[in-house]
């Protein structure tokens, strides 16, 4: 769907807000926070976690267009940019 669709600024803003709200609500318990930080400490780098909101905010419709080439119909990829 993404490959054949051009996202609007308004849609992207809504997506950003929903993504940030999901992240915040996932931190409602101390166990959730401990697990989240634990995963990043285990990987040896907590910087991506600390920059999460900044990275979400920096997304633009143009950047979404640029990453479309990484998507295929039968494959879903999670990208983490360092």
């Amino acid at each position: 769907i993404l490959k054949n669709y051009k996202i609007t600024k308004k849609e992207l803003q809504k997506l950003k807000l929903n993504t940030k709200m999901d992240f915040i609500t996932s931190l409602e318990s101390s166990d959730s926070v401990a697990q989240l930080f634990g995963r990043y400490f285990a990987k040896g780098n907590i910087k991506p976690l600390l920059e999460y909101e900044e990275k979400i905010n920096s997304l633009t419709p143009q950047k979404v267009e640029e990453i479309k080439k990484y998507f295929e119909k039968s494959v879903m990829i999670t990208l983490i940019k360092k």
Side-chain angles (χ1 to χ4, degrees):
I1 294 173
L2 178 64
K3 198 169 190 174
N4 299 320
Y5 182 78
K6 190 166 182 141
I7 194 165
T8 65
K9 283 184 180 184
K10 186 176 180 178
E11 291 168 327
L12 186 57
Q13 284 304 110
K14 184 177 179 180
L15 181 62
K16 288 179 187 183
L17 179 62
N18 288 340
T19 300
K20 289 187 273 186
M21 287 304 298
D22 286 346
F23 180 75
I24 290 168
T25 57
S26 75
L27 302 175
E28 288 183 345
S29 73
S30 57
D31 285 342
S32 299
V33 174
Q35 288 176 5
L36 180 64
F37 275 88
R39 283 194 301 269
Y40 281 89
F41 278 121
K43 293 176 187 176
N45 184 9
I46 114 171
K47 189 176 178 183
L49 176 61
L50 300 176
E51 295 175 343
Y52 181 77
E53 185 176 10
E54 178 185 329
K55 297 292 184 184
I56 296 297
N57 288 336
S58 72
L59 274 176
T60 64
Q62 295 78 18
K63 286 183 181 179
V64 172
E65 287 296 313
E66 290 171 15
I67 65 166
K68 283 184 179 182
K69 62 186 173 190
Y70 298 106
F71 292 88
E72 294 180 21
K73 282 185 175 181
S74 62
V75 179
M76 183 174 172
I77 301 170
T78 301
L79 299 174
I80 301 173
K81 185 177 177 182
K82 289 187 176 186

